[in-house]
Structure formats: structure tokens, C-alpha cells
Amino acid sequence: MPPSKSSFTYTLKPDQIIQLRELCLGRGFELKALDYGHFKGSKGKCSLSAYESGKVVIQGKEAREFIEFYFEPEILGEAQLGYEEIHHPEYFVDHFGVDEAGKGDFFGPLVIAGVAGTGDLVRGWIDAGLAESKRIADQRALDQAGDLEEELGAARYEVIAIGPKRYNELYRSFGNLNRLLAWGHAKVIQNLKIKNPAVNKALSDKFAHSSLIERELKKAEVEIDLDQQTKAERDPVVAAASILARAGFLKGLEKCSELCGVELPKGAGAPIPKAAAQVLDAGGQDLLRDVCKVHFKTFAEVTR
């Protein structure tokens, strides 16, 4: 992980954007026009961009000083930076964080990852600016995953990668994606609990009714205080798990591409049918089944 975070993102209301412009002018920032935004400004080793969406990005070696002494007290009205343990004490309690990648992708595996986090680990991740995997580029996710694996050691993380062939078998067995996901999340928690028996809390993104994972944990005789939240990736431990899951998915997608000789795209959008047709041309339905999730409607459309 990098030693210190130097880029910070906030979402402001329209009146706060106006206040920010006035603050920047008063502090001697040079302001310029910004495409699709209100303005951008710079002073010394601090720069910022205020977008029409309300998103504000503040970055540079002097960004932290500007935020702590001016932005937080005058714009936000509260101290946040460096006060995470006051605002979110739950982040720093030992717990498992679980997340998945690949469930919405036609090609490639489903990957579920879990991390056993501690207060010391979370403090380091916050200082380094660890972000949920959807907010960073592919190569960045791969690099951060390698750093996390080294930092955590084998006992503090678990990754279950379900390749397309096995995924299709499990999907037929479970009957729907949410039950399959619940089984996978529970399995990751079970494996982490075996390696970290003193940890008694787990947090997972809420993708369906809470009872699904709880039922699977009960089957596995795993006793743990499980919390399921929407946008659970705001928790740094879940964010770390999301990076491991994303990296596992990217590696699995690359293997699928090598298997069929076609560079397979992510997602389920416009490029997918063309790539699926190329796989069909290369090896027929059997090959396509080995690299995709067959319950997606794309499979039926390209094979009819």
C-alpha cells in the first residue's frame, strides 16, 4: 500500500459548491474552467476539481492540510479526516468483510473473497486511501490485491473462484444466483472462521434477504454475528475483500480468454454478443459453455 493518501473525494450540495469557490478565491487559489464541471483550482501542491454532479476531488501533497484547516471547518462543518474512529468505530473492531466480483459478467468466473480485518490494518488502509474495487482501474486492483495478500498472509484472507464450468453446475443445483451467492459467502466466512476463531463478527454486502446467508452458515454450524448492508464496501475491510475478488475475476477472465483464443470483454453489454459469436465460431457451444454463465439471456440469443 502507498504510505499516505493524497487524493480525496467528496459530494457537495449546490450551495456548498458556491461556498467552496469563495473559499478558494479567498485562499489565493487560481481558478479555471472545467469541462463538465463548475471549476478547477490550484495553489502550491494542492489542486481541486468541482464537477456538475457535485463531486469534488482534492489532491496533492498539501491536500490534507487544506482539507483539515479550511475545507472541513468552512464547507463541511465537521472534522472527518483523521476522525474515522469517532464517526465509524465499527470499522476498527476485528471482523470479516466479504464481497464478490463477476456476478454481472457474462464471461469469466464468479469470485467471492473475504478478509479478516483488525484496527491496525484498517488504520493503514484508510491512510493509504484504499478504495472499493469498482472505483479503481483493473491494473490498480491487481497491484493492490498483490500487496494485500502479502500484508495479510494466508490466514487473514480467503478467495473462492468459481470458474464458468463449475458455476453453471452450481447454478443448476441451487436454482438461482442469490442462493449460489449465499452459499459462497457462507463458505468464505466458514473458512476464515476456521483460521481466525477469535473473530466473531462478519459484514457482507446485502444482495438478497438476510436469511439466505444465515441459513447456509447454520448448515455449516458456523456461529458468528453477521451483518448485511447495502454499500457495505464503505467498510475498509469489505473494500479490501472487493479488491481481492476483483483481481481474482480479472485473472479468471484472462484464463478464459486464453482457453478460447478470444479476448473476452467484461460486463454484459453491447460487446458481449459479438465476442460470444467469435467463441462459437472457434469451438461451438461446448467451448462457449466453458467460458460463460449460460443462464444469461445472451447465451440463448447467440445459440438459437
Side-chain angles (χ1 to χ4, degrees):
M1 293 295 146
S4 183
K5 183 177 181 179
S6 60
S7 181
F8 305 84
T9 302
Y10 301 88
T11 300
L12 300 186
K13 299 175 181 177
D15 61 323
Q16 291 176 310
I17 295 290
I18 295 172
Q19 292 171 359
L20 178 59
R21 180 190 289 273
E22 293 173 351
L23 172 63
C24 290
L25 289 171
R27 299 304 309 168
F29 276 68
E30 180 183 358
L31 301 188
K32 296 181 179 180
L34 174 65
D35 291 341
Y36 306 105
H38 297 285
F39 62 90
K40 60 182 177 180
S42 62
K43 179 186 178 182
K45 296 179 181 178
C46 178
S47 64
L48 59 84
S49 298
Y51 295 92
E52 292 177 355
S53 64
K55 183 176 80 169
V56 172
V57 179
I58 306 173
Q59 53 193 350
K61 291 184 178 180
E62 296 176 350
R64 184 179 289 268
E65 179 182 351
F66 173 74
I67 291 168
E68 290 181 343
F69 289 98
Y70 305 105
F71 181 77
E72 287 186 340
E74 297 188 33
I75 306 301
L76 299 183
E78 65 174 355
Q80 294 182 1
L81 193 60
Y83 289 84
E84 290 84 3
E85 291 192 58
I86 294 175
H87 295 301
H88 298 286
E90 69 277 10
Y91 291 173
F92 301 86
V93 176
D94 289 5
H95 65 285
F96 303 142
V98 188
D99 202 8
E100 77 285 325
K103 69 179 181 182
D105 295 84
F106 178 68
F107 291 114
L110 172 68
V111 181
I112 303 166
V115 167
T118 66
D120 288 341
L121 286 169
V122 168
R123 291 182 193 97
W125 293 338
I126 289 174
D127 189 53
L130 184 74
E132 189 264 334
S133 68
K134 294 183 182 69
R135 294 168 54 192
I136 58 177
D138 288 350
Q139 189 56 53
R140 179 74 167 155
L142 290 165
D143 292 342
Q144 286 196 347
D147 292 341
L148 282 168
E149 289 173 358
E150 183 176 351
E151 180 181 23
L152 290 165
R156 288 199 165 272
Y157 76 91
E158 181 76 17
V159 178
I160 293 178
I162 306 170
K165 189 173 183 178
R166 178 60 175 157
Y167 175 95
N168 293 327
E169 294 172 353
L170 288 171
Y171 188 91
R172 286 194 298 271
S173 175
F174 284 108
N176 65 65
L177 177 57
N178 286 338
R179 289 183 61 200
L180 195 163
L181 281 169
W183 170 82
H185 280 238
K187 189 65 176 177
V188 165
I189 293 170
Q190 178 186 10
N191 291 347
L192 282 174
K193 182 68 172 173
I194 291 170
K195 295 186 285 188
N196 301 270
V199 178
N200 295 311
K201 293 181 178 295
L203 175 61
S204 169
D205 193 54
K206 187 177 177 68
F207 53 83
H209 195 278
S210 301
S211 64
L212 289 180
I213 300 179
E214 293 168 354
R215 188 180 302 127
E216 293 296 330
L217 288 171
K218 187 174 182 180
K219 287 180 185 177
E221 298 182 347
V222 177
E223 294 185 5
I224 196 162
D225 181 7
L226 174 65
D227 188 13
Q228 298 173 68
Q229 302 175 6
T230 56
K231 298 184 179 179
E233 65 275 4
R234 289 175 294 192
D235 181 293
V237 183
V238 179
S242 78
I243 289 171
L244 295 180
R246 167 92 170 276
F249 168 75
L250 292 170
K251 292 174 184 177
L253 184 65
E254 184 177 8
K255 289 181 180 178
C256 288
S257 296
E258 293 172 355
L259 177 65
C260 64
V262 177
E263 186 174 351
L264 302 175
K266 300 188 294 292
I272 299 300
K274 181 180 178 181
Q278 290 176 320
V279 176
L280 280 172
D281 289 341
Q285 285 195 30
D286 288 344
L287 181 59
L288 183 58
R289 289 175 181 274
D290 286 345
V291 297
C292 82
K293 302 175 181 73
V294 300
H295 67 87
F296 279 50
K297 65 180 182 179
T298 301
F299 182 83
E301 290 173 350
V302 300
T303 58
R304 63 187 175 193

